[in-house]
Amino acid sequence: EADIYQTPRYLVIGTGKKITLECSQTMGHDKMYWYQQDPGMELHLIHYSYGVNSTEKGDLSSESTVSRIRTEHFPLTLESARPSHTSQYLCASSDPQGGATNEKLFFGSGTQLSVL
Amino acid sequence: SQQGEEDPQALSIQEGENATMNCSYKTSINNLQWYRQNSGRGLVHLILIRSNEREKHSGRLRVTLDTSKKSSSLLITASRAADTASYFCTSTSGTYKYIFGTGTRLKVLA
């Protein structure tokens, strides 16, 4: 059972609002990731972090920002939500304790965001 | 970063039948992994096969890896309605960015 949690599970919000999607993991993993996924489509990596105070942009350009002040916490923020931000956002973490050849991802349940 | 491309895009079978889906990738890898995603949920890790392995089993799952063809296959034997989900492959090689394709949508009919 993965110990990675995302809140809220669903969020419906109006255009222009500032939102923060929460992601926390209790496994002590250094690496964390945010993916964006539209229904039936591929996952797009939008942000990742290798540890505290480390954040990088992913392969898909995103207007969101992230922070990593604590190992267990990796929130994603949208300063001004728009309808084009409507999507599912998935948080994940990984840790190569067994070496890079054995590393795997643990995912949260996701946040379904709808911007009206 | 690596790209996992799954094939077919969608598969519909009867309960009890076997389901086979394929994955291709582009460059050398440390390992290749398969994940399952139930509708509207996060992904769940199913099985990992290292680059020096050719076949691996886990319950009703069988994964093969052909590094010369840069491809992998996932076989689910004796499928059940609960296996209905999307299946994704991904791989890593030195970097820690996991890139996913569009997945194979499997539907198992009761």
Side-chain angles (χ1 to χ4, degrees):
Chain A
E1 187 74 23
D3 296 314
I4 180 165
Y5 309 99
Q6 289 187 245
T7 57
R9 182 77 180 88
Y10 302 95
L11 180 61
V12 180
I13 202 162
T15 297
K17 298 292 185 182
K18 178 180 179 179
I19 60 168
T20 296
L21 307 184
E22 302 288 348
C23 176
S24 295
Q25 49 96 4
T26 59
M27 297 173 282
H29 288 174
D30 285 329
K31 299 182 181 69
M32 296 189 74
Y33 314 80
W34 275 103
Y35 290 87
Q36 184 178 342
Q37 184 186 31
D38 292 325
M41 302 299 287
E42 63 197 283
L43 283 76
H44 292 286
L45 180 66
I46 52 175
H47 297 284
Y48 60 100
S49 167
Y50 288 161
V52 171
N53 294 325
S54 154
T55 60
E56 303 286 344
K57 289 189 178 297
D59 297 311
L60 179 69
S61 176
S62 174
E63 294 167 342
S64 58
T65 59
V66 292
S67 63
R68 191 83 184 278
I69 298 172
R70 303 197 315 267
T71 297
E72 62 271 22
H73 197 212
F74 191 40
L76 180 145
T77 298
L78 277 166
E79 290 293 331
S80 180
R82 295 206 302 270
S84 61
H85 296 139
T86 294
S87 189
Q88 178 169 236
Y89 293 83
L90 294 167
C91 180
S93 71
S94 69
D95 185 57
Q97 284 188 342
T101 56
N102 294 316
E103 185 172 350
K104 62 183 181 182
L105 289 168
F106 295 86
F107 281 85
S109 295
T111 293
Q112 181 60 52
L113 174 65
S114 295
V115 184
L116 307 178
Chain B
S1 62
Q2 298 294 309
Q3 176 80 53
E5 292 289 346
E6 298 85 359
D7 172 68
Q9 289 188 332
L11 181 60
S12 186
I13 60 174
Q14 294 291 329
E15 203 166 29
E17 293 180 339
N18 295 342
T20 300
M21 51 205 86
N22 305 297
C23 169
S24 61
Y25 57 93
K26 295 179 181 176
T27 61
S28 61
I29 58 173
N30 287 330
N31 63 56
L32 188 134
Q33 304 176 35
W34 286 90
Y35 290 79
R36 183 187 73 223
Q37 184 182 35
N38 290 95
S39 180
R41 308 295 293 185
L43 279 70
V44 175
H45 181 266
L46 291 177
I47 193 166
L48 179 153
I49 186 166
R50 291 191 290 270
S51 59
N52 61 353
E53 297 176 314
R54 292 297 168 260
E55 187 172 312
K56 198 163 184 179
H57 297 256
S58 176
R60 294 184 296 113
L61 304 179
R62 172 177 168 256
V63 170
T64 61
L65 180 65
D66 187 335
T67 53
S68 66
K69 296 180 180 178
K70 293 186 171 56
S71 67
S72 173
S73 67
L74 171 67
L75 168 68
I76 304 174
T77 60
S79 62
R80 306 166 181 167
D83 295 328
T84 294
S86 291
Y87 292 82
F88 296 84
C89 68
T90 189
S91 55
T92 65
S93 75
T95 69
Y96 293 101
K97 291 195 296 180
Y98 296 78
I99 306 298
F100 293 84
T102 54
T104 292
R105 292 186 299 281
L106 173 65
K107 187 169 186 178
V108 181
L109 305 170

